[in-house]
Amino acid sequence: MDNLYSQCESSFLFGMNQENEVGRQIKYLGGSKVLVVYSKLSSSIGNLLDKVRRSLRNSGLDYTELSESYVNPRISTVFDGIKICKTENVDFILAVGSSSVCSLSKVIAAGAVFDDSFYEMFSKKSDIERALPVAVISTSICGGCATSKDVTVYNQMDDGSLKVMECSSDVLAPRFVIYNPELCSINSSNYAFNFVRLIDVLFRRYFAVNKNTVLAEKVLESTIKTVLVMFDRIQEKPNDVDCITNLMWASITAYVNPMLNYNDEACVQILERALISVYDCNPEEAASIIIPAWFKFVLRKKENKIAKLGATTFDIPYNFSDVSVSAARTVEFISSKFESLKLPVKLSDLNGSAADIDKILRKIGFPEIETIGTNDPYTKTDCEVILSLAL
């Protein structure tokens, strides 16, 4: 595996032992006091943190640390991070971990220098103009999301549910991201989560592609096909570095390809966040419930696109005389694949019921808002039907 350094909005350092370069990179960018943010939930983070600390010390950098104890990053931890930044004169933030740690770090970076009231940062009218510089060491095959300028954290309410807090700004893009496939692991315990996490974003990109952008569609079809092949191989050989490398590049392709639509205000993602808010479940659990239900809902409306997806990525024969047959088989394949992962595929799997649908719809913002989804609007009734298909 060859090391690679490339430049886009964020710099990428890809390859073995690149995490040892983190101190030098931060020093080059002018950092002097670093806040290292990581998750306590990661069982394999200890050795990596030791490498990071050594690299920072060898570069003459001072550092302090903040750990998160929740799957879904909390506002309370953001406040702790902002306090550390202000009292200890932090001038650089390093996220070590997966997407939740990235989101947490970016909100801390903006909040530490935000002039107005903190909660104004999450207003759609707010303009985040400054943030402390952020870098990321990704430990997830879905590390492409580290480059995102859109971040989500959660505030726990008195009833135990979560409130989604979102913000977006160009200044939240990391200065650099380190990707080392050897820092990622895919085995029987996290296989399903990794698969759902990656296929979720690829599906969203695929159905957001402009119909005239043929090349983008072809790239996504080949990427999805590659993901399926690599996950099949990993079942036979867990933690295969070559497979993980391909999967990481698939994730990066989904986030930094200039041909793709990066508007994440899509119905599927909004519904997933609403489920997280109600059940405080893992994002992958929310996705494994919503994705099959969404495909069933749009089967007739998007049957040509769905049939094409099935033919090009799942080897489902394209029925030219009756496209609906191919589309139905594709949806059946996707539903069966998700069921085979032993993740929740129904609301009842999260101890939910039909009685929760109104609560989920309120978390989305209905009836105050009329529709969700920027490019493909969905009404309250649409969302209610999708959720009913997940019962």
Side-chain angles (χ1 to χ4, degrees), residues 44-71:
S44 59
I45 199 74
N47 184 52
L48 174 56
L49 286 174
D50 287 340
K51 288 184 176 182
V52 169
R53 292 164 184 147
R54 188 180 307 114
S55 179
L56 295 175
R57 287 195 299 266
N58 290 344
S59 297
L61 298 173
D62 194 7
Y63 65 89
T64 185
E65 298 178 0
L66 174 69
S67 61
E68 171 66 287
S69 303
Y70 299 96
V71 172

Side-chain angles (χ1 to χ4, degrees), residues 357-366 380 383-384 387:
I357 290 180
D358 282 341
K359 188 186 300 183
I360 296 168
L361 293 172
R362 288 197 298 273
K363 286 292 184 181
I364 292 172
F366 296 117
K380 178 183 176 182
C383 294
E384 191 170 4
L387 292 169

Side-chain angles (χ1 to χ4, degrees), residues 225 228 306-320 322-336:
K225 182 73 173 179
L228 292 171
I306 292 173
K308 191 171 187 294
L309 173 69
T312 55
T313 63
F314 307 141
D315 296 326
I316 294 172
Y318 193 95
N319 190 324
F320 289 93
D322 190 351
V323 176
S324 65
V325 173
S326 298
R329 287 189 60 188
T330 300
V331 172
E332 182 181 350
F333 176 90
I334 292 168
S335 298
S336 299

Side-chain angles (χ1 to χ4, degrees), residues 360-379:
I360 296 168
L361 293 172
R362 288 197 298 273
K363 286 292 184 181
I364 292 172
F366 296 117
E368 287 78 11
I369 60 175
E370 294 183 359
T371 61
I372 63 171
T374 304
N375 298 322
D376 196 3
Y378 288 72
T379 65

Side-chain angles (χ1 to χ4, degrees), residues 20 24 57 60 70-71 80-81 90 105 112-113 153 172 188 202 210 235 247 255 276 302 328 335 350:
N20 295 328
R24 186 175 66 84
R57 287 195 299 266
Y70 299 96
V71 172
D80 292 340
V90 168
S105 300
V113 295
V153 292
L172 297 180
S188 57
L202 289 171
N210 186 298
Q235 281 190 311
L247 291 169
Y255 280 93
I276 293 170
K302 300 180 183 292
S335 298
L350 296 178

